[in-house]
């Protein structure tokens, strides 16, 4: 991954004091990353270096991957599914359901008849129970949507195949009710280290098991994350993109730009955007503070949001994220309807996108709106591992700068408990 900020941002004299403020925390993260004791709130930084975990996931995936496995249904929401979906869609593509690639990951997050019907129809067409797996992921083990979806799918698959216990895997906290219930019913469980919160858990079993089952190279994913840990705890600022990005974002926030727009120039990165939005919003939106993370997809959103970005209030700091990986399709030299758009004959779709990207950068310069650039290069497992870890460490630095605990989510818990109370009163009636 390459991180680039223009000269005006990179030479801001306010940056150096911020680097100094964060230096002892940076060193603390660096020494934490070399252990696997999972004792601190920042323990997610230890996951990429945990060789025992990696081996366990590889062995589990190999054992669960029957030769006829076609669908792996992931039941989980928020931090329990977004990281997996981000990596999966970035690699399998935004049209992954149409692509000839098995096994496919299917995601059930919110409670909706529409999604559940689609998943149960797909499973109804399967002949053997070995053709599917369900991975139920919940850190707390009591998230209403996740448990309700699990129960519905359990019921459907039991009616069809009889005993489906070995087709359901549970990933949860060892202290959770879900863990105990699954154990009691002799079902397979994998744990999430207690100190690793949902949105920081993508490199635990939460992300690694489903991604390994989907055939994604989790060794490369982890290697990318390890590299981001080394860079993100380095005293060499030209390597430490997490720290630099945190300080730039903080300075923009202080100068009134409370919105951060991450502008991904590829539809296959939109799930990565959803993961990032949750990480930033849930970690930093508290105590009356926060950064409003928004996600845009290029070039689609140029036709919906660009006017506001370059002509509206100057309240947004933009991160342009791109991955130009090589051309497949080209506009023919012999146009079907010549004369409509100049100079596209013979040009690849990728080449057109690169021209659009250059136009976007020029518009940011011309409108004097601040931005940085992130080149995801091949957007392969290694690069994605780097990006995910880079953002998680960045958020930890931002938490320090904003004096916030990035690891809790008290406001989210408010809705969860009210929902449970309402369900209880509805049930009584
Ligand atoms: O990041 C988080 O902690 C949250 O987004 C949770 O992942 C989300 O609320 C789901 O909770 P749980 O994993 O406990 O089911």
């Amino acid at each position: 991954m390459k991180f680039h900020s223009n000269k005006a941002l990179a030479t801001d004299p306010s940056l150096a004091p911020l680097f100094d403020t964060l230096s002892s925390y940076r060193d603390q993260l660096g020494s934490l990353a070399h252990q696997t004791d999972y004792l601190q709130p920042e323990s997610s930084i230890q996951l990429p270096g945990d060789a025992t975990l990696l081996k366990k996931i590889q062995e589990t995936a190999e054992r669960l991957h029957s030769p006829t496995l076609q669908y792996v249904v992931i039941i989980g929401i928020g931090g329990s599914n977004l990281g997996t979906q981000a990596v999966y869609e970035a690699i399998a593509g935004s049209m992954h359901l149409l692509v000839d690639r098995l096994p496919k990951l299917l995601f059930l997050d919110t409670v909706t008849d529409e999604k559940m019907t689609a998943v149960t129809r797909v499973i109804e067409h399967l002949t053997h129970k070995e053709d599917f797996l369900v991975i139920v992921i919940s850190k707390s083990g009591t998230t209403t949507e996740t448990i309700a979806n699990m129960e519905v799918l359990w019921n459907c698959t039991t009616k069809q195949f009889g005993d489906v216990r070995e087709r359901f895997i549970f990933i949860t906290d060892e202290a959770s009710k879900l863990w105990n219930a699954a154990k009691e019913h002799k079902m397979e469980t994998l744990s999430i280290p207690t100190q690793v919160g949902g949105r920081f858990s993508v490199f635990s079993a939460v992300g690694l098991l489903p991604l390994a089952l989907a055939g994604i190279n989790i060794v490369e994913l982890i290697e990318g994350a390890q590299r981001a840990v080394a860079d993100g705890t380095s005293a060499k600022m030209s390597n430490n993109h997490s720290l630099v990005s945190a300080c730039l974002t903080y300075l923009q926030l202080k100068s009134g730009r409370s919105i951060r727009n991450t502008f991904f120039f590829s539809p296959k990165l939109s799930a990565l955007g959803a993961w990032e939005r949750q990480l930033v919003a849930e970690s930093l939106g508290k105590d009356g503070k926060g950064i409003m993370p928004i996600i845009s997809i290029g070039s689609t959103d140029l036709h919906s949001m660009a006017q506001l970005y370059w002509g509206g209030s100057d309240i947004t700091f933009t991160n342009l994220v791109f991955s130009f990986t090589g051309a497949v399709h080209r506009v023919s030299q012999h146009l079907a309807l010549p004369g409509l758009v100049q100079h596209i004959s013979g040009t690849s779709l990728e080449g057109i996108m690169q021209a659009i990207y250059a136009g976007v950068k020029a518009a940011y310069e011309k409108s004097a709106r601040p931005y940085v650039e992130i080149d995801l290069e091949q957007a392969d497992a290694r690069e994605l591992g780097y990006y995910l870890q880079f953002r998680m460490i960045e958020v930890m630095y931002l938490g320090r700068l904003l004096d916030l605990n990035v690891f809790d989510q008290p406001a989210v818990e408010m809705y969860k408990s009210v929902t449970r109370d309402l369900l209880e009163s509805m049930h009584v009636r």
Side-chain angles (χ1 to χ4, degrees):
M1 189 190 96
K2 295 195 180 92
F3 182 89
H4 176 73
S5 55
N6 69 19
K7 206 167 164 210
L9 291 180
T11 56
D12 187 324
S14 312
L15 275 177
L18 290 180
F19 293 166
D20 289 345
T21 307
L22 290 173
S23 62
S24 65
Y25 188 52
R26 183 199 67 216
D27 294 344
Q28 197 184 317
L29 290 178
S31 54
L32 205 62
H34 290 107
Q35 301 153 31
T36 47
D37 54 7
Y38 297 107
L39 291 176
Q40 301 300 321
E42 291 88 352
S43 292
S44 63
I45 206 170
Q46 300 179 340
L47 290 165
D50 190 339
T52 313
L53 169 72
L54 181 62
K55 190 162 175 277
K56 178 162 188 181
I57 298 295
Q58 287 169 320
E59 286 168 0
T60 310
E62 205 173 314
R63 176 168 50 77
L64 293 173
H65 198 308
S66 64
T68 59
L69 183 63
Q70 293 182 49
Y71 295 102
V72 181
V73 185
I74 313 300
I75 301 183
I77 196 162
S80 288
N81 81 327
L82 287 171
T84 308
Q85 198 163 1
V87 177
Y88 180 65
E89 288 193 17
I91 290 178
S94 62
M95 307 281 249
H96 57 93
L97 289 173
L98 304 178
V99 173
D100 194 10
R101 176 192 173 107
L102 289 175
K104 289 193 187 306
L105 300 189
L106 305 176
F107 294 91
L108 284 177
D109 50 11
T110 188
V111 272
T112 125
D113 282 335
E114 171 252 321
K115 278 195 180 192
M116 184 58 82
T117 304
V119 168
T120 51
R121 289 236 168 101
V122 156
I123 292 181
E124 267 164 34
H125 286 101
L126 301 176
T127 332
H128 312 285
K129 61 181 171 186
E130 290 73 24
D131 302 349
F132 76 93
L133 260 179
V134 180
I135 307 185
V136 182
I137 308 173
S138 174
K139 169 87 180 156
S140 63
T142 52
T143 297
T144 305
E145 294 94 322
T146 303
I147 302 303
N149 278 332
M150 179 271 289
E151 290 290 351
V152 174
L153 201 57
W154 174 270
N155 192 36
C156 292
T157 52
T158 304
K159 278 187 186 146
Q160 189 179 350
F161 295 108
D163 186 353
V164 287
R165 262 180 303 181
E166 85 272 20
R167 306 320 294 160
F168 277 67
I169 318 298
F170 294 83
I171 303 179
T172 182
D173 204 289
E174 274 192 43
S176 79
K177 282 188 193 168
L178 180 61
W179 177 275
N180 294 332
K183 284 273 176 215
E184 204 178 303
H185 291 85
K186 309 232 171 326
M187 295 191 279
E188 180 151 2
T189 51
L190 287 168
S191 65
I192 309 167
T194 304
Q195 289 284 6
V196 174
R199 56 192 173 278
F200 293 91
S201 67
V202 60
F203 299 125
S204 71
V206 169
L208 295 185
L209 182 66
L211 291 170
L213 285 164
I216 287 165
N217 190 330
I218 58 167
V219 173
E220 287 183 10
L221 185 79
I222 286 298
E223 282 171 1
Q226 284 173 337
R227 187 71 206 275
V229 169
D231 286 353
T233 56
S234 164
K236 196 172 165 194
M237 285 306 120
S238 55
N239 287 352
N240 198 331
H241 309 317
S242 295
L243 199 148
V244 171
S245 182
C247 292
L248 289 174
T249 302
Y250 178 76
L251 288 179
Q252 292 300 324
L253 181 64
K254 291 282 134 190
S255 62
R257 296 190 184 93
S258 58
I259 299 176
R260 189 166 82 176
N261 175 24
T262 308
F263 209 144
F264 292 95
F265 277 76
S266 174
K268 69 181 182 178
L269 300 177
S270 73
L272 183 60
W275 171 85
E276 177 172 330
R277 193 176 54 162
Q278 189 233 6
L279 177 75
V280 173
E282 215 165 88
S283 303
L284 300 169
K286 51 196 70 155
D287 296 355
K289 303 176 198 171
I291 294 163
M292 171 73 77
I294 62 169
I295 302 303
S296 310
I297 300 300
S299 66
T300 313
D301 289 336
L302 292 172
H303 300 267
S304 101
M305 299 294 285
Q307 174 58 41
L308 176 71
Y309 294 159
W310 304 323
S313 311
D314 186 5
I315 50 173
T316 306
F317 176 43
T318 299
N319 283 208
L320 300 173
V321 183
F322 62 93
S323 159
F324 297 130
T325 52
V328 177
H329 296 286
R330 232 162 243 291
V331 179
S332 168
Q333 292 284 2
H334 308 288
L335 298 177
L337 302 173
L340 297 178
V341 176
Q342 299 299 313
H343 313 303
I344 56 166
S345 60
T347 309
S348 66
L349 295 183
E350 180 93 353
I352 294 172
M353 183 61 116
Q354 289 192 31
I356 292 170
Y357 182 78
V360 167
K361 263 175 67 176
Y364 274 99
E365 296 287 347
K366 209 166 164 197
S367 57
R369 301 292 157 105
Y371 70 96
V372 295
E373 288 184 277
I374 295 174
D375 181 357
L376 275 188
E377 302 182 70
Q378 296 302 306
D380 55 14
R382 202 181 299 274
E383 284 300 307
L384 292 162
Y386 190 104
Y387 187 84
L388 293 162
Q389 188 65 71
F390 147 72
R391 286 298 189 199
M392 287 189 277
I393 299 176
E394 179 199 31
V395 158
M396 293 180 201
Y397 286 130
L398 273 164
R400 276 292 150 130
L401 292 172
L402 291 164
D403 193 21
L404 292 171
N405 172 9
V406 299
F407 303 105
D408 64 358
Q409 55 283 329
V412 184
E413 301 308 328
M414 268 183 329
Y415 111 85
K416 285 188 177 183
S417 63
V418 174
T419 302
R420 279 193 287 267
D421 292 349
L422 271 172
L423 284 170
E424 190 184 343
S425 59
M426 281 157 62
H427 204 67
V428 169
R429 257 184 261 139

